[in-house]
Every structure is written in structure tokens, then in C-alpha cells.
Amino acid sequence: MIPLVAVAHGSRDPRSAAQVAALVDVVRALRPGLDARVSFLDLSAPRLTDVLAGVRGEVVVVPLLLGRAYHAKVDVPAIVHEAGRRSPRLSVTVAEALGPDPRLESAALRRLTAAGVRFDDPALGVVLAGAGSSDNRANASVAAMAQRWSAQTGWAGAIAAFAATVQPDVPAAIAKLRARGAERIAVASWFLAPGLLPDRVYTAAHDAAPDVLLADPLGADPGVAELVLQRYDDTLRASLERTG
């Protein structure tokens, strides 16, 4: 079976690497016998470069990224290209990033439910908080998700907010929801794992709304693990079709 190398961004917060490892554990449990390995782009070990250096033959790299932004478009392909240059016996195919995908959205909603959110609460405003990107399309996909939630639930509204790079930030989003009549606030996490940016989001939300409901990052959700395997399978299928 061709190895799967999952690559996450990485963080100085050890909880992040632990959560990514837990997700890959679920992937292994769903597909016994699959050689599924963990790697990171930066800040955590092992790095993708080092993991690929230890592999020979074919391998599929699955970016554990929630959007198709800079890391997915530039960083991962550049590392893979350099790994192939150093080791001609290595053949790497890169899968699509995890997001956007309805299974991630469902996982985020499950995390909200676990935090105590009811979907028929007309006094609730929900902030969908993500990292923020220099790629406007990645930000737009998060905003579109929040708009769907506004239309499909009984909430006072849902608004996307970002920890960095773009607006609105979390306090501004909470203020907008208050203006729409929200009496209670919840924050949905558009992060895969804990770390500096999720903590920044949670602190800002608690400062603006002390009784806020905080949902956990997507983490080792079985739906996310199934999506990782789907990206792996789709990549293998496309590779077979290209080679005839």
C-alpha cells in the first residue's frame, strides 16, 4: 500500500502536534495496514522534508490545510519538488488540501454542538473564527460558510472572523452580531488544532463576551479522518488514470 504522509502547518504549541498525531491515529484505525505518517511544514517535528527523505518509491502527501491558500499552493509543492530532486527514487503526488469541504463544515458544527450550542436558538450569534489568509478566495470560503449557517439555522446570525491578516476580527464580529439582536455568543473554530491563533481568538472572544460558548478545533474528528483518506484515494485514482 502506498504510504500517506499527512502534512500540517506546525506550531510551537505542543498541543497542536499532539492533535495532528491523534487525527492520523484515527486515519490508521479507519484504514488498517496503511502506512500513514505525520509531518509539518514548520515549527514542529518531524518536518515534511525529513519524512520524505526516509521514503522510497511512491508516496501521497495530503496537506492538512483547511483552504487552498499559500501553504497549499506554494510551500508544499516547493518542498516536494526539492525532495524529488534530492532523491530520484522518490515519486511524490500531492493531494488537494482538505478544505473547503462539507465534511469539515459538519465537523465544525459537531464541535459547536459539543460546546452546548442549539441550532434553534434565535438569541444566539455565532462567530466562525479562522486564521485569515492573504488569499481572498480562502477568506471568502469561510465567509460563505457563515452565510450558509445564517440561512440554515434559527440563530440571530453567523459571521466569519479572522485572527490575523483580514477583517473583521472577533470583537468586531461579536459587535455586529449584538447589533443583529444576538443576546448570546458562540465561537466556532475553523482551525484544525490548538495553538497561538486559536488561543488569540478565544481570549478576544471571552474579553468581548465573558459568557461565550467556545467550540474546540476540528481535531481528531472521524469525519476529518475520512476526508484525509478520501483525498488520498482520489489522488491515487487520478494518478492511475493519467498513467493509463
Side-chain angles (χ1 to χ4, degrees), residues 84-224:
R85 188 187 67 78
R86 291 182 178 181
S87 178
R89 292 180 293 172
L90 181 65
S91 176
V92 183
T93 308
V94 180
E96 291 287 339
L98 297 186
D101 188 274
R103 282 163 288 195
L104 295 178
E105 190 170 340
S106 295
L109 290 170
R110 282 193 289 275
R111 292 291 185 253
L112 274 175
T113 299
V117 166
R118 295 191 353 256
F119 294 105
D120 60 350
D121 185 351
L124 182 70
V126 174
V127 177
L128 176 58
S133 171
S134 58
D135 188 317
N136 289 331
R137 288 171 295 184
N139 300 324
S141 71
V142 182
M145 192 187 319
Q147 290 171 358
R148 284 196 298 276
W149 290 4
S150 286
Q152 296 171 1
T153 65
W155 299 332
I159 296 176
F162 303 95
T165 307
V166 291
Q167 293 292 320
D169 59 14
V170 169
I174 290 175
K176 289 182 179 181
L177 290 167
R178 297 285 196 204
R180 294 184 185 180
E183 299 172 8
R184 291 180 290 280
I185 300 296
V187 173
S189 179
W190 196 240
F191 294 95
L192 185 66
L196 175 65
L197 291 183
D199 283 354
R200 182 184 300 173
V201 162
Y202 295 153
T203 298
H206 187 268
D207 289 346
D211 58 348
V212 64
L213 296 174
L214 299 173
D216 290 333
L218 306 184
D221 183 271
V224 178

Side-chain angles (χ1 to χ4, degrees), residues 37-75:
R37 309 187 188 190
V38 176
S39 70
F40 301 91
L41 293 174
D42 197 10
L43 302 174
S44 301
R47 302 289 178 87
L48 176 59
T49 301
D50 298 328
V51 173
L52 292 178
V55 180
R56 293 293 180 269
E58 293 184 71
V59 62
V60 174
V61 170
V62 180
L64 303 183
L65 302 170
L66 302 186
R68 300 185 184 104
Y70 186 86
H71 295 305
K73 294 177 180 178
V74 178
D75 287 342

